[in-house]
Structures are given as structure tokens and as C-alpha cells.
Amino acid sequence: MSLKLETPGSFPAFPFLPYEIQFNLMQHLYTSIEDRKVTIVESPTGTGKTLSLLCASLTWLRDELDRVKRGKLAASEGDALDWVIAQTVERKRRELEADELEYSERLRKAKQKEASLRKTAQNRAKRARTEKSSTSDVHLDDMAFLPDDDNEARDEDDNLSPEVRAMMKQLERPSKVDAEPEPTCTKIYYASRTHSQLSQVLHELEKLQINLSGTSVLSLHPEASKSPPDSAKRPISLVDEDDEVTTPEVRAVSLGSRKQLCINENLKGKAGDLDEACRQRLSEKGDRRCQYLPPIEDEIRILDFRDQVLATPKDIEDLVVSGQNAQTCPYFGSRRAITQAQLVMLPYNLLLQSAARESLGIDLKDQVIIIDEAHSTCLQLPLKTLTTSLHQLSIYLARFKDRLSTQNSLHLKRLVGLLDALLKYAEEWKGERNKVNPNPGPAKAKENVETMTSGELLRKLGRKVEGINLLEVEAYLKKSRIARKISGYCAKELEKAAGADPLKRAKLSRLSNTTPPLHAVESFIVALTASSDDGRVTFSMIDDQVEIKYQHLNPATYFREVVEVARSVVLAGGTMSPISDVTNQLFTWLSAEKLTTFSCGHIIPASNLQTLVVKKGPRGGDLQFKFDRRNDQALLAELGQIMLNFANVVPSGMVVFVPSYSFLHVLINAWESSGTLEKLRSKKRVFMEPQDASGVERVLREYAAEIQVPTVKAAPGSGRKAGALLFAVIGAKLSEGLNFTDDLARAVVIIGLPFANLASPELRERMQYVNRLEQSRGVKRLPGVKDAATELYENMCMNAVNQSIGRAIRHKDDWASLVLIDGRYSSPRIRSKLPKWIGESLIITETFGEVMKEMGRFYREKKSRL
């Protein structure tokens, strides 16, 4: 009997008849998972990407569960007589069915209990919950702030019983042995950037008609397997139809931090590191213990809550409410649910960091990983943070010097030496730069930046530091958790000093919401332990302050750890083009047969999208917004005339993206002087994206309100049209993650190509790195083919353009015109890096008259159909 899963010819779990591109995506994903491939999927926003990803992956998971059971039944047949085989298979079938029914019944009861708790909470009188632990200032013995290994060495001196230590270990990691066996299963790990995005995943999950807990064992019998494949793929209910509580369709869990899930208001209100404060209360007894953490003798409480978590899919907010209703910690309850969950949703930093996976007890071996639009970042360490960290470390050493073990004292003195040397070098570096450039301006910016490898940095810090083994420092930081201990102790002392002063306590509350300084230092030190060639340290002057950065040049390191153990990895996004950039950065080490890609068109009809390249202005001038021409007054005047013409034909909202804030300021100043801006305002109300992120929401709200105005406010005959014009910056807030649906963007205009500044040391290092990588692989380029650095440079630019373009066309009935103003967009190289759904309908115009003719025709057609 073949156990190979064939790609389905239909997906009954999908809530409606899928579009062709959705069906093709689901088939591609199903096949990639079954064949153990890594795949890069590009599906424009508005095409049902998340729903398609969930349907395909969960359909495969359901079929995988069937396959496992068929394998168990086949293994039970052996070589016995036919009647013996039949009885053995029947017995095994009954056992599997009984196990499924028992587990489903347990979750059904958990769901009933959750509903009962919710009703109780709703009917409870609204009164402040009085916590015994909140009526007095809980005194935490300073022993709690000693390094973990020192605490462990003092078992005879402290009052921690073996039972309490066992409980701490159980809650810190999902236990491997419980009173009842915890079944493990193949999982789908769905990672995204934010919890709001993960909440949207749950919203899409609710639409699917699939039941992973109710796979019929009857269909696994060899005779039953002869029925058509699709017949076994409909949801099967294990509960009577008149039962008001049904079994869950998918066992899902959302993972978050203590900060997001803690329901102990007293603990959250205190200054300092919440993680460390929570850990300290794990070891407490009676009133000092967090009331939401069940004691060791009441572990059934956390297991009950685990079942409630799995009974109904919940996002972070739902988990908090359920935890409050059950009076049980949702942070530890959700962690205990990982083992039995079939779908685990988490921020991708928890997935990609090995330390985070280890802490959560996540094993990715043979699992399916879906990563939705991951982004690489760099680590920043301002001089102020470094100074504060060294100060806190010195206070801690002075307080605990007589209580630390010899080994801990030695490690901490090395850490002090390392931070002290780094601080002195940063201050000396700043002094030298101030001597050379007492009044640094833009022309001197390059001289105020220095880039080096981690090895070069250690050599600059002096002989004493050069001899320090950073791997030993990393191991000590991880084992002792000293950064949390020191941050916790300092927070406690600050809180004590603040007393009842409301202003001081308000300041402490603000500090509690920021990353503790030593955590930033720890992350920086850990980053330095990476291969010297995989990262760069940068010293720079920002507003007369030194900032130290560590830039990861090789993001493939983190992905490789995941890819090598997982069954299949899916990297998905609405805008992945140019896909070559993703493969070059993450998967150059992967064999070609292991990697697949999928890029689909849009679900909208071709008539709903117009894409134009504008090469000439109204006066016939060439339009190329290269950096050295961005102050060309004639070019800016030509662009102003283009905007006036567009404002005459584009209805409702028009969003115009420019390469940078500096160019936007140059543009607006030029148009104010010439009177062009006033003319634009007479046609549409003009808005501009603020550099201060706090003002973005207000601008968006006012822009949307203006578009909703049904009649023109201006006097008759003024020429003012209904709608608004919004200028935004490529790569800023408005170009990523925000939707300009329907009338908010009936035209999206991209001005120029946002190539990054080649003078940037970080960019130069990345370009040099990819070239070295290409040479080390022995890649031979064909004549005329650009090197890896140039490819990276172009890809970075086009990725930013594609993100901005993707803000429009958000659903199947949406329509808009996409206008690319720069002659360079007509080159084959640049066009090839546009998303497939845009590039196929691209019109390259030769005159501005042709542009206006095409736009006029497009909007007249849309108006006639409204």
C-alpha cells in the first residue's frame, strides 16, 4: 500500500469556490509540503493568501493524520491468516477510534467549562479584585537576584522545597512527563511579524470547513479507502447535532510574551523586568506567590486551562480573557498547550531564535513552517544604554560581592572589563570625530561613521579584552540570566527610592515598558559571537551621540537552522518580488531541487488595473529622477504640471509616493514658490506624510474623511473636485502594512526609483559581503550580467517600490491606476523585478499625451459602470 499523498483535485475545506490562482496556490503548497520542499510564495494582498495558506497546509495535515493511522493499521496486519488479520485490524481500528473519541470528549468538556466560566465572569458583580499579594509590598529576598547557578548551589540555605523546584521546572518548560500522557503530533507553525497579523490568521481559520480532531477511523480501513478521495475530506462531526457545544475543528494556540499575557495587575504595575519578577514568584509560597500560578499539588488546574486553550482557537486578547475567567495564568497555560496543538501561531522572532525555541520547548523536527513576510533587522546600542548598563553592573557587584561564588565574581568582572573598554573606546572615538569635524554637516557624514568586524572591534578594545572568550561570556549570560537579575534588583531599588512620590512612580512605570539596558547589551554581545564575516559593527554619530550597531550580513544563518530540521518551510508574502533577492539572501546554500517558487496574478479582472510608465513630461522633457537631478527646477516644474493634470482626471483619492523625505521637502518648497501647490489645493485637498510617526494616524484619518465628502465644498465654478491627494515616502510608515482600499487610492503614483545611498557604510558592507559570497561559490557570470552587489542594490530598490504599489487593489472588486514616473521603469531589468500581476499589463508611454489619453479612457470606463 502506497502512503504517498497525492495532490488533491479539490479543497472542500475552502469556504467558497476558489479562484484559479487560489486553487493553484493551494495545490503548489500541498505538493511542496508533501515533497519536503522549501517554497517562496508571492500572492498579492486581497487574493486570499492567508486563507489559501491555511487551507492547503491544514488539508495536508489532515491527510497526514490519515496516513499515519493507515500505516498503523497496515503494520498490524503482519503475515497471519486472513481471519486473524481481519480481527487484528478491527481491534486496532477500535483502539484508534476510542482514543480519538476520548480526546475529543475531553476537549468538549473543556469547552463547556470555559463557557460556564465566561458566564460566571459576566454575571459577577463588577468589583475590584482584592489580591492578598497586592495589599502589602511583597518583600523579595535579595537571594532572588543572585545568578541562577549561585541560587542552585544554595539549596540548603534557602527555603525552596524540592516540590517547588519541580514546579518551577514544569512551568519554565513544558513538562515531559505529566500525570497523563501528552500526545504529540505534526504541527503547522505559522509565524508573522505582529500579533495583530496573527489575529487575522485566526479570523481566516474560522472560515475553513475542516476538522482535524474528527478524522473518521472507519475511512482508514483498506476497503473504505477505495472510495473517491474527496469523500473522505469533508468535515466529520463527532458530536450530536443538537449538542450546543461542538468539538473544536483545529487545536490551535497563540504564543505571546509575559508582557502581553500577564493577568496579575499588581505585578504588571511594578517597575522593572516583568519576566524576572514572574520567575521570582514561581519560587514563593502562600501570599507571596502569584495567585494565578497553580501550586504543584494543583497541577490539574493548569491542565484544565490547557484544554480550554485547545478547545477553541484564541488570539492573545482571548487568552487573557480566558485566563481571567479561569483565574489561571494564560502565559504558562498557552505554553503547556504547544505539545498537543496542531496549529501554533507565534511572532517570527520566537521561531527563528534558537534560545526562544528552547525556552518554549519547541521542536521543529519534521514540522511545517509558514513564515509570513519576515524582515531582517540590526541591533542598536546607544552610548547612553551602555553607560547605564555599566553603572547597574557596578552597583550590583558592590551589593553582592560577598555573596557571589568565585566563579560568578570572575565572570562578572570580565563583563565589567568588556563594557568598560567598549565605553572608553566609544568616548575616545567620539572625541576624535569632534576634533576632525567640529561642525559636521551632510558632506562630513561619511567621516562620522566607522565599520569593522567583531574581531577588529575586540582588537581595538585592548589586549585584556582581546583575550576574553565571547562564547564563554555568552554561555554565562544565558545560564546565569544575570541581565534579568541585575535589571530586577536595580528596578527594586529605584521603586524603593521613589516611595509614594506620584511623579517618580509615573517615571518608573514608563521605564517598565522599555527594554532593560543590560538586555540590549546582552543581545549585542551574543551577536558578536557570530562568524566575523557574517556581521559588521558600526560606530556612528547621531545627534552628537555615539550609536553602536551590529548588522547581520547573513540572515540565512537563522533560516538554515530551521530549514535543516523542518519538514517544509514556506516563505510567503504579498510582495516578494524580486524573488531572486530572497533566494540570494536566504537560500544560496540550498540545492535547486529542494527549492520551489510560486508567484500568482491578482484575482481582479484585467480591466480593473491600469499600469503606466511615464517617460516624458507635458513639455516633452525626459523624466529621470536620479539623485543628482532632484534639485533640477525645470524637472520639478514638469512634475508639478503632471500632478495638476492627474488631479483633473483621478476621482476620489490619489496617493503619490516619493523616494525620500528630503525630496518631498524640496518638491513642496519648489511648488510653493511657483504657485503649483496652491493650484493643486484648488483641485484636491493636499496631505503629506509626517516624519513623526505619532502624526501618521491623524493625517490618515483626515485624508479618509476628506474623500468621504460627497459634495464639493468649494464655490461653484472653482474647479475644486471631490477627493484628496496624499504625498507619502517610499519605505516609511504609509508604504508598508497600510491599506488604501477603494476610493482611498484610485491612483497610486510612484515618482523615481528609491535607490539607497551608496555612501552608507552598512550598505557598502552588505554589497561587499554578497560579492565575496558569490566569489566563494565560484559563480561565473555571463557577459552583461550584473554582479551580486548590483543585483542586491537594484532588488532593495524594487522591493521598496513593490511594497508601495501593493497598498492599492485590496480586494476582487477594487480598481486603480498605477503610474510609474521615471523612464528607467521601461528597462527590461527593472520591469522584470515588478510583481507578475503588475508587469503583465504594463504600458510604456512615449508621450505625455498618450498617458492622459490612457488614463482618461480608464476612468471613463469605470465611471460608466458605476
Side-chain angles (χ1 to χ4, degrees):
M1 178 179 65
S2 173
L3 294 179
K4 168 76 174 177
L5 296 180
E6 297 298 326
T7 303
S10 65
F11 290 87
F14 208 73
F16 49 81
L17 184 65
Y19 291 94
E20 183 180 2
I21 60 171
Q22 294 171 329
F23 177 71
N24 291 341
L25 190 159
M26 289 189 286
Q27 281 201 318
H28 171 84
L29 193 69
Y30 188 103
T31 303
S32 296
I33 295 173
E34 175 62 15
D35 293 345
R36 297 177 175 271
K37 298 287 184 70
V38 173
T39 186
I40 302 168
V41 173
E42 180 180 54
S43 179
T45 303
T47 57
K49 175 192 65 176
T50 302
L51 190 62
S52 300
L53 292 173
L54 283 173
C55 183
S57 58
L58 292 173
T59 297
W60 175 86
L61 182 56
R62 185 207 45 223
D63 294 347
E64 163 69 4
L65 294 173
D66 286 353
R67 172 167 55 186
V68 169
K69 292 164 189 173
R70 284 199 302 270
K72 290 179 179 179
L73 290 176
S76 67
E77 293 181 6
D79 298 321
L81 298 174
D82 288 347
W83 67 271
V84 176
I85 292 174
Q87 284 193 350
T88 304
V89 170
E90 176 62 18
R91 185 176 67 252
K92 188 67 177 178
R93 183 193 64 77
R94 286 198 302 269
E95 290 174 358
L96 292 173
E97 189 175 43
D99 289 343
E100 283 183 355
L101 290 172
E102 181 182 355
Y103 190 71
S104 295
E105 177 65 13
R106 197 180 88 202
L107 293 186
R108 188 185 71 83
K109 289 180 178 178
K111 191 171 183 179
Q112 285 181 322
K113 183 173 183 179
E114 182 184 10
S116 174
L117 288 171
R118 185 164 53 247
K119 289 178 181 177
T120 301
Q122 290 171 347
N123 295 331
R124 190 183 306 150
K126 292 184 179 180
R127 62 179 182 273
R129 189 164 55 241
T130 304
E131 302 175 11
K132 290 183 178 179
S133 59
S134 66
T135 58
S136 61
D137 185 14
V138 178
H139 171 69
L140 295 176
D141 194 314
D142 284 350
M143 291 286 290
F145 298 114
L146 286 171
D148 276 3
D149 49 349
D150 262 12
N151 262 327
E152 290 168 9
R154 289 171 164 78
D155 280 345
E156 294 180 357
D157 298 328
D158 62 27
N159 295 318
L160 300 185
S161 67
E163 291 79 7
V164 170
R165 289 203 172 278
M167 183 60 185
M168 288 172 65
K169 289 181 178 179
Q170 279 187 338
L171 291 176
E172 282 297 303
R173 289 186 182 85
S175 61
K176 295 181 179 178
V177 180
D178 282 323
E180 56 182 282
E182 290 205 50
T184 59
C185 60
T186 303
K187 308 178 194 304
I188 308 294
Y189 285 94
Y190 199 111
S192 193
R193 201 182 337 177
T194 65
H195 279 290
S196 61
Q197 291 170 327
L198 293 174
S199 295
Q200 181 62 28
V201 175
L202 269 183
H203 177 69
E204 297 298 306
L205 177 64
E206 292 170 357
K207 300 176 183 178
L208 292 179
Q209 301 167 17
I210 194 165
N211 194 323
L212 299 188
S213 65
T215 304
S216 174
V217 183
L218 292 173
S219 67
L220 304 179
H221 191 276
E223 291 299 317
S225 65
K226 294 178 182 178
S227 59
D230 288 341
S231 66
K233 295 181 179 179
R234 295 289 181 182
I236 299 171
S237 175
L238 294 182
V239 191
D240 293 336
E241 291 184 2
D242 57 352
D243 194 335
E244 64 179 40
V245 180
T246 59
T247 54
E249 296 181 339
V250 179
R251 299 197 302 272
V253 62
S254 299
L255 300 181
S257 64
R258 282 181 172 90
K259 187 174 180 180
Q260 292 163 323
L261 291 171
C262 180
I263 57 175
N264 188 328
E265 295 300 328
N266 175 58
L267 196 61
K268 287 199 300 182
K270 292 183 176 294
D273 185 359
L274 180 62
D275 288 329
E276 187 59 27
C278 176
R279 288 190 181 95
Q280 289 165 3
R281 277 154 181 78
L282 289 175
S283 62
E284 298 289 351
K285 293 181 178 180
D287 292 349
R288 294 184 178 183
R289 184 179 181 80
C290 175
Q291 70 182 85
Y292 303 107
L293 289 174
I296 186 66
E297 64 273 10
D298 189 22
E299 191 186 2
I300 192 66
R301 186 170 140 202
I302 200 80
L303 295 178
D304 279 347
F305 186 68
R306 172 203 64 190
D307 290 345
Q308 291 176 38
V309 170
L310 294 171
T312 310
K314 299 173 178 64
D315 62 16
I316 294 298
E317 289 74 19
D318 295 332
L319 281 171
V320 169
V321 172
S322 294
Q324 290 169 338
N325 292 343
Q327 298 287 284
T328 305
C329 176
Y331 175 73
F332 286 115
S334 59
R335 287 175 65 160
R336 289 299 293 271
I338 294 174
T339 306
Q340 298 181 24
Q342 295 162 323
L343 175 64
V344 180
M345 292 158 289
L346 70 171
Y348 59 65
N349 62 308
L350 295 182
L351 179 77
L352 297 179
Q353 295 174 6
S354 58
R357 294 197 303 270
E358 182 182 342
S359 172
L360 291 167
I362 290 175
D363 182 3
L364 298 181
K365 184 172 176 56
D366 292 328
Q367 309 294 349
V368 178
I369 317 297
I370 299 176
I371 302 175
D372 197 351
E373 300 191 52
H375 293 253
S376 59
T377 58
C378 64
L379 296 170
Q380 297 182 343
L381 183 62
L383 189 62
K384 183 179 179 181
T385 301
L386 181 59
T387 304
T388 304
S389 299
L390 186 59
H391 180 63
Q392 289 184 348
L393 187 53
S394 300
I395 292 175
Y396 181 86
L397 267 175
R399 173 66 180 83
F400 292 96
K401 63 180 180 180
D402 296 330
R403 303 175 72 176
L404 292 167
S405 67
T406 304
Q407 194 70 12
N408 270 304
S409 294
L410 180 62
H411 280 301
L412 289 175
K413 286 176 182 176
R414 284 177 181 168
L415 187 58
V416 168
L418 175 60
L419 299 190
D420 187 54
L422 185 59
L423 179 60
K424 286 179 179 177
Y425 177 77
E427 290 173 339
E428 290 171 2
W429 186 88
K430 177 182 178 181
E432 290 175 4
R433 290 302 181 279
N434 286 337
K435 287 179 184 177
V436 175
N437 304 311
N439 297 302
K444 297 288 186 179
K446 183 177 177 182
E447 299 174 21
N448 278 333
V449 179
E450 184 179 4
T451 303
M452 64 197 77
T453 66
S454 55
E456 290 169 343
L457 172 63
L458 291 179
R459 287 192 289 274
K460 290 175 182 287
L461 297 185
R463 295 179 62 182
K464 289 184 179 180
V465 172
E466 194 176 357
I468 294 176
N469 186 331
L470 286 182
L471 290 174
E472 289 183 1
V473 175
E474 178 192 16
Y476 173 72
L477 290 170
K478 181 179 178 181
K479 180 182 178 182
S480 66
R481 293 178 176 166
I482 193 64
R484 295 188 182 280
K485 302 291 183 179
I486 295 174
S487 297
Y489 173 73
C490 291
K492 175 192 171 186
E493 292 302 302
L494 286 171
E495 190 170 15
K496 191 186 298 182
D501 188 318
L503 293 178
K504 290 182 178 179
R505 296 197 72 83
K507 184 178 180 180
L508 280 177
S509 179
R510 290 194 299 271
L511 286 174
S512 66
N513 292 321
T514 61
T515 302
L518 271 164
H519 290 218
V521 169
E522 180 178 359
S523 297
F524 183 77
I525 292 174
V526 171
L528 292 179
T529 63
S531 169
S532 201
D533 197 44
D534 284 350
R536 290 293 181 271
V537 180
T538 302
F539 282 73
S540 58
M541 293 286 288
I542 307 294
D543 297 329
D544 199 37
Q545 293 296 321
V546 178
E547 184 170 77
I548 310 170
K549 291 182 182 177
Y550 182 88
Q551 180 187 16
H552 290 285
L553 299 177
N554 185 14
T557 304
Y558 301 102
F559 279 90
R560 187 164 188 164
E561 292 177 1
V562 172
V563 170
E564 288 182 338
V565 297
R567 177 191 182 94
S568 178
V569 175
V570 181
L571 202 61
T575 306
M576 302 298 288
S577 296
I579 288 181
S580 61
D581 185 47
V582 181
T583 57
N584 290 340
Q585 288 199 56
L586 301 180
F587 303 120
T588 53
W589 54 275
L590 203 62
S591 61
E593 60 270 15
K594 180 78 174 175
L595 180 66
T596 64
T597 63
F598 179 89
S599 181
C600 67
H602 216 295
I603 59 176
I604 61 169
S607 60
N608 279 17
L609 174 67
Q610 177 186 65
T611 310
L612 303 173
V613 172
V614 183
K615 296 170 63 177
K616 302 276 187 180
R619 299 165 187 166
D622 289 331
L623 299 175
Q624 285 200 13
F625 293 87
K626 294 182 178 179
F627 185 76
D628 57 359
R629 291 196 64 197
R630 289 183 183 174
N631 285 305
D632 185 329
Q633 294 303 307
L635 185 63
L636 298 179
E638 192 102 60
L639 183 59
Q641 194 61 42
I642 292 172
M643 291 297 108
L644 287 170
N645 278 276
F646 285 0
N648 283 330
V649 297
V650 176
S652 302
M654 180 166 69
V655 183
V656 180
F657 285 101
V658 299
S660 65
Y661 281 110
S662 61
F663 180 69
L664 179 58
H665 295 153
V666 168
L667 198 63
I668 296 303
N669 289 336
W671 288 351
E672 280 183 335
S673 299
S674 66
T676 302
L677 189 60
E678 190 60 35
K679 292 178 182 178
L680 271 177
R681 286 172 175 155
S682 71
K683 297 178 182 298
K684 289 180 181 288
R685 188 176 173 189
V686 177
F687 296 87
M688 278 165 279
E689 178 176 6
Q691 282 189 262
D692 184 358
S694 62
V696 170
E697 187 176 343
R698 177 187 57 79
V699 169
L700 276 177
R701 189 169 54 249
E702 293 178 1
Y703 172 73
E706 184 68 24
I707 288 170
Q708 298 306 316
V709 175
T711 58
V712 179
K713 296 178 183 176
S718 67
R720 169 81 180 272
K721 293 180 176 292
L725 171 60
L726 173 61
F727 286 95
V729 176
I730 298 173
K733 281 282 185 182
L734 296 181
S735 67
E736 293 188 20
L738 291 173
N739 299 340
F740 291 100
T741 308
D742 299 324
D743 283 349
L744 291 177
R746 289 309 182 192
V748 172
V749 181
I750 309 291
I751 299 173
L753 286 158
F755 283 108
N757 182 6
L758 278 172
S760 163
E762 289 95 339
L763 177 59
R764 291 202 309 272
E765 288 294 337
R766 282 193 68 188
M767 294 176 70
Q768 292 170 9
Y769 176 79
V770 295
N771 270 345
R772 288 197 303 272
L773 201 62
E774 184 182 56
Q775 292 166 7
S776 68
R777 299 201 313 268
V779 176
K780 294 183 179 180
R781 295 191 302 274
L782 297 173
V785 176
K786 305 286 187 179
D787 63 14
T790 305
E791 184 76 10
L792 171 69
Y793 188 56
E794 287 185 357
N795 287 345
M796 289 172 61
C797 168
M798 291 308 297
N799 184 265
V801 168
N802 294 339
Q803 288 287 347
S804 299
I805 290 173
R807 297 310 94 210
I809 311 292
R810 309 303 288 185
H811 58 84
K812 65 181 180 66
D813 297 319
D814 208 351
W815 54 271
S817 179
L818 305 178
V819 187
L820 309 174
I821 303 181
D822 196 303
R824 290 172 291 177
Y825 282 108
S826 64
S827 73
R829 276 186 63 81
I830 297 298
R831 291 206 313 270
S832 69
K833 297 178 188 295
L834 288 168
K836 180 181 177 182
W837 63 281
I838 293 172
E840 290 177 345
S841 62
L842 190 72
I843 298 174
I844 300 173
T845 62
E846 297 300 329
T847 66
F848 188 72
E850 186 182 353
V851 173
M852 295 308 297
K853 180 181 177 182
E854 290 290 340
M855 290 183 73
R857 176 190 57 78
F858 179 77
Y859 290 115
R860 280 195 301 273
E861 287 181 358
K862 292 302 160 194
K863 184 177 181 180
S864 67
R865 295 178 184 179
L866 293 178

